[in-house]
Amino acid sequence: EVELWESGGGSVQTGGSLRLSCVVSGGSFSGRCMAWFRQSAGKEREGVAGTRIGDDHTTYADSAKGRFAISQDNAKNTLYLRIDDLEPGDSAMYYCAAGGWMNYCSIDRAGLYSYWGRGTQVTVSS
């Protein structure tokens, strides 16, 4: 059974940085898209960044460009999301997701991704 496990969230002050990790167990998503989504209270889940496992294709939400960086370590079966210059608006539960073989790793719809972790909470205080 494939499982995704996120970690690395926490409480930080404005301007700080975090690196979130997502470990994949029970399988591999080589050649398939993986992504990070986030959801805060009362809001819909939104895509932050996506990538295809095994190559350097990446996609970012407009709100994530410049401060967010998605990366992967295939030897460790781990997906990362680094967030710099954190803002209170970044506070949310961050989810790792894995999907199918897409030419473009769209993050427009959560429904494109079939596998989800349980999330890691990021809280940014001013």
Side-chain angles (χ1 to χ4, degrees), residues 10 13 28 34 67 78 84 90 94 97-98 110 121:
Q13 292 188 329
S28 172
M34 291 191 68
R67 297 190 299 115
T78 303
D84 293 320
D90 295 321
Y94 283 73
Q121 178 69 41

Side-chain angles (χ1 to χ4, degrees), residues 54-119:
D55 67 37
D56 58 1
H57 167 66
T58 58
T59 56
Y60 291 94
D62 287 343
S63 60
K65 291 177 181 177
R67 297 190 299 115
F68 291 63
I70 190 169
S71 62
Q72 54 187 273
D73 185 334
N74 295 327
K76 296 181 179 179
N77 267 3
T78 303
L79 182 74
Y80 300 101
L81 181 71
R82 180 175 175 86
I83 314 172
D84 293 320
D85 197 18
L86 279 154
E87 306 168 349
D90 295 321
S91 297
M93 185 72 82
Y94 283 73
Y95 297 92
C96 173
W101 284 272
M102 296 183 279
N103 289 332
Y104 175 78
C105 293
S106 173
I107 52 174
D108 291 342
R109 290 188 293 120
L112 293 172
Y113 294 82
S114 303
Y115 298 90
W116 291 85
R118 295 185 178 183

Side-chain angles (χ1 to χ4, degrees), residues 13-56:
Q13 292 188 329
T14 297
S17 298
L18 284 174
R19 188 179 76 161
L20 310 182
S21 300
C22 171
V23 176
V24 178
S25 65
S28 172
F29 291 99
S30 181
R32 298 167 71 170
C33 291
M34 291 191 68
W36 288 94
F37 285 75
R38 68 183 181 184
Q39 187 169 21
S40 52
K43 295 186 177 180
E44 291 187 0
R45 193 168 295 190
E46 64 171 349
V48 175
T51 189
R52 184 161 43 243
I53 300 304
D55 67 37
D56 58 1

